[in-house]
Amino acid sequence: MGLCLSDQVQAQQTPAPEAPAANLQDRPVEPPPPSPTALPDDPEQVQFTADTLDYDMNNDVVSASGDVRLYRESNRLRADKVTWDRRTGKVTAEGNIAVVNPQGDAAYGDRIELTDTLKDGVVDNMLVVLEAGGRIAAEHGQRNDGGIITVEKAAYTPCAVTSTAGCPKEPSWKITADQVVYDPNRRRLRYRGARIGVFGFLTVPLPAFSHPAGGQSDSGILTPDVRYSRVNGFQLAVPYFLSLAPNRDLTVTPRVFSDTLPMLQVDYRELNSLGSFRVSAYGTYSRRADDLTVSQTPSSLRNDVRGYFDLLGRYQLDTNWSVSASLRMASDRTFLRRYDISRDDRLRNNISVERIDANSYFAINAWAAQTLRISGPQGLQPIALPEIDYRRRIDESLTGGHFDFQLNTLALTRTAGQDTQRAFASAQWSLRRLTNWGQEVTFTGYARGDIYNTSNTLATSVVGYRGENGFHTRGIAAAAMDIKWPFVGAFLSGSQRITPRVQMVASPHLANMSIPNEDARAVDLEDSNLFALNRFPGYDRFEDSTRFTYGLDYALNLPGFSIDANIGQSYRLTARPTLLPDGTGLTDRMSDIVGRTVIRFHDFISFTHRYRLDKDGLAVRRNELDMALGSRATYVQIGYLRLNRNISAKLEDLQDREELRLGARVQLARFWSVSGSTLIDLTDKNEDPLSSADGYQPIRHRIGFTYEDDCLRVGATWRRDYATTGDARAGNSYLLTLAFKNLGR
């Protein structure tokens, strides 16, 4: 009894249920198990067991008492006493009653009157525990021959009615009604005179209401969405869900605003034998700005039809072939931000056909992008149509290595910029061996032939990206040897590994500047590409000359604790200038020093530090920290990035910046939590000489409170945006969340 004391005190403080029937607690009886013996072949016969059996020959009444169990077809009954009037066919059960129907629903009551089919009858003080989830309690109920249950003065909840200690508790929410009708064939509950109560005191009337009992989706209204923003005012969204089939559904969401015209959202999903896809579309009519570089005034804004389209799907045609698509399009650059749909600054579109088997890969891709940035004309965004890529791996038996062959072609088109067509064929041979002393040695040979055709190069402002008009060819060759020598041993109660590593790469001089640079612009020395054969990220640039790269890997593994770190640097033999821009850490013969350190302590601490140190004075050129501290319920996340590489501001793909990201969640109680996050731009003239920022510019803050248990989520969130772009203005926004879990789909 001591374990349930707090629950008893809480129950005394909870208002009394609206009807005596609303007793949703479990009853002190176990449902009847299936019959241990085979049922009679004749469906009209009833199989039963009991401790004692009496027969009144004068009145033709059979009375069974004790642990009485009756079985007929898939219907089962259990009670302390059962009386069967054979003349009227009336069966009366009393005491610790439990009835289970073919669907698995269990009904409990103080007294039940049934027909001799055990399918229909009347129950007093009824409780029905549904197999699909949830329970119904009522003062009085009946079930007809079709299995439909009708109850009076009833209550329904899908929530837990006991605490973790097994003590009775008030459910987070329940529906009380004058009448509830449950159809087990449709698995749907219909109410008359219903009210929904939250935490036993907040009551909202529901004049006409129905919902699925669980286990399947059905059409109906979903939880409304209420929020407020400075731009749109108060917003109310009421989604209506249409279950078109078990594998198809449609959700239509009207969104009404106090300060602007309404918006309509439509979402469609489908799953079939080949795969799945979903489509989302938004549409409205509101004011928009076309020139985002000047201050907005009423005269610079115009009314227009605005919207957004999003499609994502993948079909697996057979074991090897698949088709996928990802399409995203917006009517203008601020629509997604104004209506708080997405913060993306670029929408990528892709259609792909792929074939994959154990040793080959083939793909045909089409790519397009829509820019949502303030600067940057849409006409300079490339359209890749097509990109064709074929790769094949072949093992060779002479040395035990393998060949990787690749064929690739790409056509890039811009409506107001440079056009490029490219094709290449490459072959790479690799061989990995372990010496008797434990060194891991990898030999690599690489050869590639390219052909390019470029036009309208003057439309590209960065000279190093242009290339030259017309057709140009290029041959690439490289050879590499990579040696790792791991030293592994026991340390404390775990193990540690120290691995020196040396790599040599030789490649002849390349005349790269006649070739345009479309896919290798964001080059930077990092721990991830330190030992790469080519440290440019794409195909249009290849790092030539001969270089040596050396580094050290370290790993420590103890019970619940681990460290994984590396550090390295490279040295190039030639002193001639390279293609790499100043500030990337690779311009001079000696590169900068790069490394990474990862520390983990159980699931409580996760710390990752990436850095780049200037080779001359050890100045920090890259400093990136990511840390998570705490449990899954209460934690702090910290992210910090500073790029101080002194790279030219003309290279938009390599701009320096500094930012701070903070996030936290605190579990105040078992179901209550508070969370928040912030993003701050710390960039100043030290990182970006062209920046007008003062070194502390908040971008976005968010704070929210949430209550969430097994069947209810209630929350309130405040967010402030500090950037104004067109009609997406800075200001506060508020979101209220109320979600009844297990109600509907």
Side-chain angles (χ1 to χ4, degrees):
M1 293 296 293
L3 292 175
C4 297
L5 180 59
S6 60
D7 298 274
Q8 293 171 353
V9 173
Q10 181 181 3
Q12 293 173 1
Q13 298 174 347
T14 302
E18 299 180 18
N23 179 13
L24 293 162
Q25 298 298 323
D26 291 331
R27 303 299 166 84
V29 58
E30 291 293 331
S35 173
T37 60
L39 296 177
D41 295 333
D42 185 359
E44 299 299 325
Q45 293 186 19
V46 177
Q47 182 187 90
F48 72 91
T49 62
D51 293 340
T52 61
L53 183 65
D54 295 322
Y55 177 56
D56 185 348
M57 298 183 60
N58 296 327
N59 297 313
D60 199 12
V61 174
V62 179
S63 299
S65 59
D67 186 7
V68 184
R69 304 184 187 185
L70 275 67
Y71 304 92
R72 187 171 189 268
E73 296 181 311
S74 297
N75 296 277
R76 312 193 299 270
L77 180 145
R78 184 177 196 172
D80 291 341
K81 181 179 180 181
V82 174
T83 302
W84 178 24
D85 190 331
R86 299 184 61 185
R87 292 178 299 180
T88 63
K90 179 180 177 181
V91 177
T92 303
E94 297 175 298
N96 294 320
I97 303 167
V99 181
V100 179
N101 66 9
Q103 290 79 20
D105 306 322
Y108 304 87
D110 293 341
R111 187 175 187 275
I112 297 180
E113 294 183 2
L114 300 167
T115 63
D116 53 10
T117 63
L118 304 184
K119 293 182 179 180
D120 57 327
V122 179
V123 187
D124 294 329
N125 191 16
M126 179 181 184
L127 172 68
V128 178
V129 179
L130 305 176
E131 176 67 19
R135 55 184 59 207
I136 307 170
E139 184 181 77
H140 179 77
Q142 64 181 19
R143 185 178 67 177
N144 62 27
D145 190 58
I148 296 177
I149 300 173
T150 303
V151 295
E152 310 292 338
K153 296 182 179 179
Y156 166 81
T157 185
C159 307
V161 296
T162 58
S163 65
T164 55
C167 303
K169 78 176 187 70
E170 182 74 13
S172 300
W173 65 267
K174 66 180 179 181
I175 300 174
T176 57
D178 296 334
Q179 184 185 78
V180 180
V181 178
Y182 171 59
D183 187 344
N185 297 316
R186 295 191 58 193
R187 294 294 177 100
R188 191 166 188 87
L189 290 153
R190 299 186 180 276
Y191 299 82
R192 181 174 62 83
R195 297 161 299 280
I196 186 168
V198 180
F199 298 126
F201 60 87
L202 178 62
T203 302
V204 179
L206 301 170
F209 185 65
S210 68
H211 65 84
Q216 63 181 12
S217 62
D218 206 347
S219 301
I221 296 176
L222 303 182
T223 304
D225 180 14
V226 180
R227 63 182 67 192
Y228 171 83
S229 68
R230 181 193 172 201
V231 179
N232 302 315
F234 285 98
Q235 170 189 333
L236 174 63
V238 183
Y240 188 84
F241 178 77
L242 292 167
S243 181
L244 306 178
N247 64 322
R248 293 183 290 117
D249 59 57
L250 176 71
T251 304
V252 180
T253 308
R255 298 182 180 271
V256 181
F257 309 93
S258 62
D259 294 350
T260 189
L261 293 176
M263 180 171 66
L264 184 66
Q265 175 186 349
V266 178
D267 300 278
Y268 177 81
R269 303 183 303 175
E270 180 174 324
L271 174 67
N272 54 47
S273 59
L274 295 178
S276 63
F277 73 94
R278 63 164 179 81
V279 180
S280 298
Y282 299 75
T284 188
Y285 185 81
S286 63
R287 307 188 76 178
R288 58 177 273 194
D290 292 321
D291 188 355
L292 306 181
T293 61
V294 299
S295 299
Q296 303 306 314
T297 63
S299 60
S300 66
L301 297 171
R302 65 186 181 90
N303 292 329
D304 204 352
V305 176
R306 309 177 69 186
Y308 171 61
F309 177 82
D310 184 357
L311 180 148
L312 180 65
R314 180 179 178 85
Y315 281 172
Q316 191 72 38
L317 304 180
D318 61 23
T319 304
N320 304 116
W321 287 93
S322 64
V323 178
S324 61
S326 176
L327 305 177
R328 303 177 68 195
M329 292 168 282
S331 59
D332 54 86
R333 302 191 185 193
T334 60
F335 177 81
L336 296 179
R337 273 174 287 181
R338 169 173 178 170
Y339 291 98
D340 198 22
I341 300 172
S342 171
R343 296 281 161 178
D344 292 342
D345 62 358
R346 181 184 291 110
L347 303 181
R348 295 178 177 86
N349 296 271
N350 170 246
I351 298 176
S352 176
V353 178
E354 291 182 308
R355 186 189 186 280
I356 304 175
D357 62 27
N359 295 302
S360 69
Y361 171 80
F362 174 74
I364 302 176
N365 279 280
W367 295 88
Q370 178 184 4
T371 181
L372 303 181
R373 296 182 178 181
I374 297 177
S375 60
Q378 179 62 38
L380 296 182
Q381 297 298 315
I383 301 173
L385 182 66
E387 179 200 21
I388 303 175
D389 191 37
Y390 176 73
R391 308 180 191 194
R392 185 165 188 83
R393 168 169 290 193
I394 300 176
D395 294 328
E396 53 93 3
S397 58
L398 182 62
T399 64
H402 65 266
F403 285 99
D404 291 301
F405 297 97
Q406 183 178 6
L407 298 173
N408 182 280
T409 181
L410 172 66
L412 291 180
T413 303
R414 295 176 174 87
T415 58
Q418 177 175 317
D419 297 337
T420 301
Q421 296 85 44
R422 177 194 74 197
F424 71 79
S426 69
Q428 178 173 314
W429 170 80
S430 300
L431 174 65
R432 177 179 174 271
R433 285 288 182 264
L434 296 176
T435 68
N436 293 332
W437 285 5
Q439 295 103 333
E440 179 186 345
V441 183
T442 303
F443 299 94
T444 304
Y446 183 76
R448 195 175 91 198
D450 304 340
I451 181 170
Y452 282 79
N453 180 35
T454 311
S455 60
N456 198 20
T457 57
L458 294 179
T460 300
S461 59
V462 181
V463 176
Y465 294 163
R466 290 177 180 172
E468 299 177 0
N469 284 323
F471 284 91
H472 297 276
T473 59
R474 177 178 62 178
I476 297 173
M481 181 175 66
D482 193 315
I483 303 174
K484 300 178 184 178
W485 197 350
F487 296 90
V488 183
F491 183 74
L492 299 177
S493 57
S495 64
Q496 66 175 343
R497 183 180 71 253
I498 302 174
T499 308
R501 183 176 181 182
V502 178
Q503 180 197 58
M504 183 190 73
V505 179
S507 177
H509 174 61
L510 298 174
N512 277 292
M513 296 310 295
S514 61
I515 302 298
N517 183 2
E518 298 279 8
D519 66 0
R521 299 179 179 182
V523 57
D524 195 10
L525 179 62
E526 301 175 348
D527 63 282
S528 60
N529 65 5
L530 177 64
F531 289 92
L533 189 66
N534 178 30
R535 290 183 283 204
F536 282 96
Y539 296 111
D540 292 337
R541 291 290 182 264
F542 194 90
E543 189 177 1
D544 56 9
S545 73
T546 299
R547 68 179 184 270
F548 289 91
T549 305
Y550 40 89
L552 183 71
D553 296 341
Y554 177 78
L556 172 65
N557 290 281
L558 302 176
F561 179 81
S562 67
I563 298 177
D564 189 353
N566 60 41
I567 189 171
Q569 187 181 34
S570 68
Y571 176 79
R572 188 169 49 251
L573 294 184
T574 179
R576 60 181 171 80
T578 70
L579 296 168
L580 294 146
D582 291 337
T584 59
L586 292 165
T587 309
D588 299 330
R589 297 180 67 176
M590 186 77 72
S591 78
D592 286 350
I593 301 170
V594 295
R596 182 192 75 246
T597 302
V598 179
I599 300 174
R600 296 184 184 277
F601 177 70
H602 294 283
D603 292 332
F604 187 73
I605 296 177
S606 175
F607 174 84
T608 302
H609 182 213
R610 295 180 177 88
Y611 57 90
R612 174 154 69 89
L613 306 177
D614 191 288
K615 64 182 185 307
D616 296 324
L618 298 182
V620 180
R621 298 302 180 190
R622 180 188 188 98
N623 192 15
E624 184 176 2
L625 299 171
D626 287 287
M627 184 178 71
L629 176 65
S631 63
R632 292 185 178 182
T634 298
Y635 58 83
V636 175
Q637 293 178 325
I638 301 173
Y640 173 78
L641 172 65
R642 185 175 189 235
L643 300 176
N644 182 30
R645 302 165 298 181
N646 298 325
I647 293 180
S648 172
K650 295 181 180 179
L651 303 177
E652 62 177 358
D653 303 280
L654 299 172
Q655 289 181 350
D656 287 339
R657 68 183 188 276
E658 185 176 6
E659 67 180 31
L660 175 66
R661 305 179 306 277
L662 297 174
R665 183 182 188 273
V666 178
Q667 191 77 31
L668 302 176
R670 182 182 176 191
F671 300 121
W672 287 95
S673 66
V674 58
S675 61
S677 65
T678 184
L679 175 62
I680 302 174
D681 184 2
L682 301 177
T683 305
D684 57 18
K685 294 186 180 297
N686 292 326
E687 291 87 24
D688 184 0
L690 301 180
S691 174
S692 59
D694 60 0
Y696 184 87
Q697 178 59 54
I699 303 299
R700 188 165 53 253
H701 297 333
R702 181 183 65 85
I703 296 177
F705 293 88
T706 303
Y707 172 91
E708 184 169 8
D709 60 20
D710 61 310
C711 67
L712 179 68
R713 183 172 68 250
V714 181
T717 302
W718 164 77
R719 192 184 69 199
R720 179 171 180 83
D721 292 291
Y722 290 85
T724 295
T725 304
D727 61 342
R729 300 195 301 272
N732 297 321
S733 61
Y734 303 89
L735 172 64
L736 301 178
T737 302
L738 176 61
F740 297 98
K741 300 181 183 180
N742 309 317
L743 179 62
R745 61 169 178 167

